[in-house]
């Protein structure tokens, strides 16, 4: 099925950016696009775009074929691996900020740096650019309750203000 992948030129793989490689590796590990986006702290549209661009650069029939091609290439050329390579036991960081150089093509010499990944503490209410949010169900329920409590309290205070104002007007009218 993937016999033609052995004849692919290594130059095609050299054109892949670091993010495209990371997305393909995670896709090969059966991550969904949503999970890839969360693992790499990017939007789903961005992750999908990286996968689509990588598939086009490799000239294969789809994302599974592109992910398999990268896995086969990295298995045959261990020196071409970067971080989060197929079979790499290094755990993924919870969220890693994008660096300006992350979109540059990945050099083969940057393989296996051995630097431990850093995982910053996740905030209770994560803010980020892009569509959607990363709130869990518990966080959504908490914030829904907080908003309802704030609305009820605000409306109660407004009603108290209106009643007090009407009592003052009634006293002045006498």
């Amino acid at each position: 099925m993937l016999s033609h992948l052995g004849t692919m030129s290594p130059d095609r793989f050299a054109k892949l950016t670091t993010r495209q490689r990371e997305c393909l590796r995670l896709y090969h590990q059966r991550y969904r696009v949503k999970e890839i986006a969360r693992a790499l702290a990017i939007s789903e549209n961005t992750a999908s775009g990286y996968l689509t661009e990588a598939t086009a650069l490799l000239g294969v029939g789809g994302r599974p074929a592109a992910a398999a091609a990268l896995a086969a290439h990295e298995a045959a050329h261990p020196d071409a691996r970067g971080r989060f390579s197929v079979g790499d036991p290094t755990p993924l960081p919870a969220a890693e900020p994008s660096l300006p150089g992350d979109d540059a093509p990945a050099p083969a010499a940057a393989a296996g740096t051995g630097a431990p990944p850093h995982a910053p503490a996740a905030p209770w209410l994560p803010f980020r650019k892009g569509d959607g949010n990363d709130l869990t169900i518990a966080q959504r329920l908490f914030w829904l309750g907080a908003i309802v409590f704030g609305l009820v309290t605000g409306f109660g205070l407004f009603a108290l203000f209106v009643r007090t104002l009407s009592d003052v007007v009634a006293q002045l009218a006498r």
Side-chain angles (χ1 to χ4, degrees), residues 11-147:
D11 295 338
R12 287 189 184 190
F13 297 102
K15 293 179 183 178
L16 294 175
T17 66
T18 302
R19 285 296 196 190
Q20 289 169 345
R21 288 172 178 264
E22 290 169 347
C23 289
L24 283 175
R25 289 175 188 132
L26 294 174
Y27 193 84
H28 187 265
Q29 294 174 13
R30 303 212 185 271
Y31 279 65
R32 296 179 310 204
V33 173
K34 186 175 190 175
E35 295 168 332
I36 293 170
R38 186 168 289 145
L40 298 176
I42 57 178
S43 74
E44 289 181 48
N45 289 338
T46 302
S48 182
Y50 284 138
L51 290 168
T52 302
E53 292 165 2
T55 302
L57 282 173
L58 294 177
V60 293
R63 292 176 179 181
L70 180 64
H73 174 73
E74 288 184 342
H77 304 90
D79 59 322
R81 291 182 176 193
R83 62 186 190 154
F84 311 135
S85 297
V86 176
D88 186 4
T90 306
L92 293 173
E96 185 173 336
S98 299
L99 300 174
D102 275 351
D103 290 331
T113 59
H118 62 287
W124 179 250
L125 182 61
F127 291 100
R128 66 178 176 85
K129 295 179 183 177
D131 301 333
N133 63 54
D134 292 332
L135 296 178
T136 64
I137 297 296
Q139 291 171 328
R140 290 177 191 200
L141 290 174
F142 170 80
W143 285 109
L144 180 64
I147 290 168

